[in-house]
Amino acid sequence: MDILLIASAFNSLSQRLYAELSGHGHRVEVVLASHGPDPIRAAVRELRPGLVVAPMLRTALPEDVWREHTCLIVHPGPPGDRGPSALDWAIDARTLHWGVTVLQAEAAMDAGAIWAAEPFLVPPVGKSDLYRGEVADAAVSAVLAAVRRFAEGTHKPLPQADASVTVVWRDAFRQERRRIDWHRDDTETVLHKLRAADSQPGVLDELLGREVFLHGGYPEDLLRGHPGELLAKRAGAVCRATKDGAIWIPELRPRKNSGDPAPFRRPATSVLASLTGRDGTALPEARLPFDIPANRRTWSDIRYRQHGDVGFLSFSFPGGAMSTRQCRRLLAAYRFGLSRPARVLVLGGTRDFFSNGIHLNVIEAAPDPGRESWANLNAMDDLVEEILLTTDRLVVAALGGNAAAGGAMLALAADEVWCRTGTVLNPHYRRMGLYGSEYWTYTLPRRVGPEQAERLTNEALPISAAHAERIGLVDRLVPTAPQDFAAETERLAREIAADPDLDRRIAAKADAHAAKERARSLASHRSAELARMHATFFDPRAPYHALRSAFVRKTPSLSPFPLTAPVAPGWHHVP
C-alpha cells in the first residue's frame, strides 16, 4: 500500500513507524507539516496515497485532506483520552496503565472513530524515555493493526460516541502545574515533576537569579543542604537540595528572552556559565569511581560493573549526544574496564538511546563551533579506535534504544551488535551535511559490503532493527520490553562467557585484526575520513553549519538533503 506519513518533525516515533511500515512491504513517503498546509496538499496530490498516517502533529491536518482521504492520527493516550498533553497527565497522575489510540481525523481534536488501540504499562521513567520505549512499541502495534484493517476493507472503526468509550478532555499541561516549591516539595515530588517534563518542555525555575528550564532529575543519597541550594557538580550536572534530600539536574535551558545567545538544552554548568559567568567552579566536584557501589542511589552517566567474566560498561547521555568531555570520560571508563579481568565486555545495555554521536548543542554554543566540532569528532574517533584495537576479549554493543550517525558507528566497532527489536538505526551522516568519521569506512563495509554501505549512507534513511539484522548490520535481536532489556542482555552475555569456544573466538579476532591492518591500516581510514570532515568543519559556507543550527534551535530549514524526492517546496527532512 502507498502510505503518506505526515508529521511536524521526523522524530523518533515517525522514524520508527517509517521503518516498520516499510519493513512490512508498504511504500512509505514522508511530508513535514512545519511549513503549513500547502506542502501537505501538494504531497497528497502528487502521491495519491492509499492511506495517510500522522504519527506526530502539533497542528491540525487541512480539512480538505482529511475529508477526501482516510487519515489516521496516532494519539499517545487510551481510547477516549483527548488533548495535547496526554503523557504529561498520565505521568502526573502516576498511572500504571496507559495506551496508544489510532483514530480517524475529523474536525474536533482526538474525537474521530477508533481504528485500533494498544495498552501498555507505565514504568517510572522520564517522559521522553517512555515515548521512545513503551509508547513507540504500542504505537507500532496499533498502527500495524489499523493499516491491516483498512487494507482488508471490512473493518468498521468504533465511534467515540459508543457507550464503551469514556471521553476525557485534558487541557495543555502548563508550567503552573509543574512549578517546584523547593521548601515544601519532598524529593520524590520534585523528581516526579521533572520526570513528567523530560525532555520537553522542562520545568521552569530560577537558579542564581536567572530563569531557566530544568531538564532531567535523579536522586542523590548523601548530599544535603538548604532547600533550593546548589550543592555540588558532576560531569556537567548540578546537585540541588530539596527539603528532605537532593537531586541531580544534568541539563538546563535558558529562556529565549534571557539574553543567552544559546537558548537550548546543554549541560547545566555550561548554561550557568553563560548566564552568570559562574560555571559552578565554586561548587565542590562530587567525584565518583566508575565502579560505583551498587547500594549508592546517585546519578552518574557512566557506570562499570562486573559479574564473573562479564564486564558491563553502561552509559546514558541526554538525547544520546556525546560531547568532547563525555567522549573522553567514556574512553577513560572503557580503559578502566579493560584493566579488569573480564572475557566479555558489554557496552550500553540500558534502555533508551545508545548514542547519536557528537553533541551538536554543545558545538552550537561554543565560541568556535568548527573547532569544537573537530575536537568532539576526534574524541569520538579515539573512543572507537580503542574498541577496534581491543583483541584480548569479546566486545558487545547492546542497543536498548536508538543509535544514529557516529553513535551507530560506535556500536559497529564492537565484535557483536545486539539490538532490542524496537531500536531504530540511522547509520549515516548525510542529513547533517557530513561525510562522517568514527572509522565508518572500515566498519560499515566490513559488515554489509561496499555496495550496501554506499546505499545506507547515500539514501540516509532510518532502518528497523529487523532490517539491520537481515543485512548483517546487527548480529542479534533481543525481543524484550524496554525495561527487560538490561536483564536479558546480562543473561545472554553470561552465556557467551561460559561458551568453551570463546577463547578460540578471541584468538581468531586478534589474527583477523592483524590481517586487516596489513591490508589497510586503521590509521589510513581515520586520516582519509578526517580530511573530509576538516574541510567541512572549517568552511563557514558548508551546509553543516546551517543544518546544525536549525536542528539545535528547532527552526525550519530547507535541507539540501531531502528525505525523498520533493514534490513541493518545503517538503523536506529536518535532521
Side-chain angles (χ1 to χ4, degrees), residues 76-77 87 96-100 118-123 130 134-136 138-139:
L87 289 183
L96 299 178
H97 301 273
W98 202 240
V100 170
E118 185 73 21
F120 61 85
L121 296 177
V122 181
L130 181 69
E134 285 78 5
V135 172

Side-chain angles (χ1 to χ4, degrees), residues 188-206:
E188 290 305 315
T189 299
V190 173
L191 290 172
H192 187 72
K193 290 180 177 180
L194 291 169
R195 187 180 299 138
D198 181 34
S199 62
Q200 288 295 331
V203 174
L204 183 61
D205 199 41
E206 186 176 295

Side-chain angles (χ1 to χ4, degrees), residues 304 306 309 311 334-346 387 390-396 415 502 505-507 509:
Y304 179 86
Q306 188 162 330
D309 282 338
Y334 184 81
R335 288 171 173 165
F336 174 82
L338 292 182
S339 72
R340 306 299 296 251
R343 301 168 72 222
V344 176
L345 179 56
V346 178
I387 298 170
T390 301
T391 56
D392 65 341
R393 66 199 69 198
L394 193 77
V395 181
V396 174
D415 303 303
L502 180 58
R505 290 185 63 188
I506 293 173
K509 167 187 173 177

Side-chain angles (χ1 to χ4, degrees), residues 60-72:
L61 289 174
E63 182 175 352
D64 53 313
V65 171
W66 60 259
R67 285 197 182 278
E68 297 171 13
H69 301 268
T70 300
C71 299
L72 302 183

Side-chain angles (χ1 to χ4, degrees), residues 18-76:
Y18 174 90
E20 296 281 358
L21 288 168
S22 299
H24 279 75
H26 300 288
R27 293 177 295 276
V28 186
E29 306 285 355
V30 181
V31 61
L32 298 188
S34 52
H35 284 279
D38 288 342
I40 295 174
R41 293 188 177 102
V44 171
R45 284 195 307 268
E46 179 74 17
L47 298 172
R48 295 183 172 274
L51 182 65
V52 174
V53 177
M56 180 266 187
L57 279 179
R58 299 190 186 100
T59 56
L61 289 174
E63 182 175 352
D64 53 313
V65 171
W66 60 259
R67 285 197 182 278
E68 297 171 13
H69 301 268
T70 300
C71 299
L72 302 183
I73 307 294
V74 180
H75 177 69

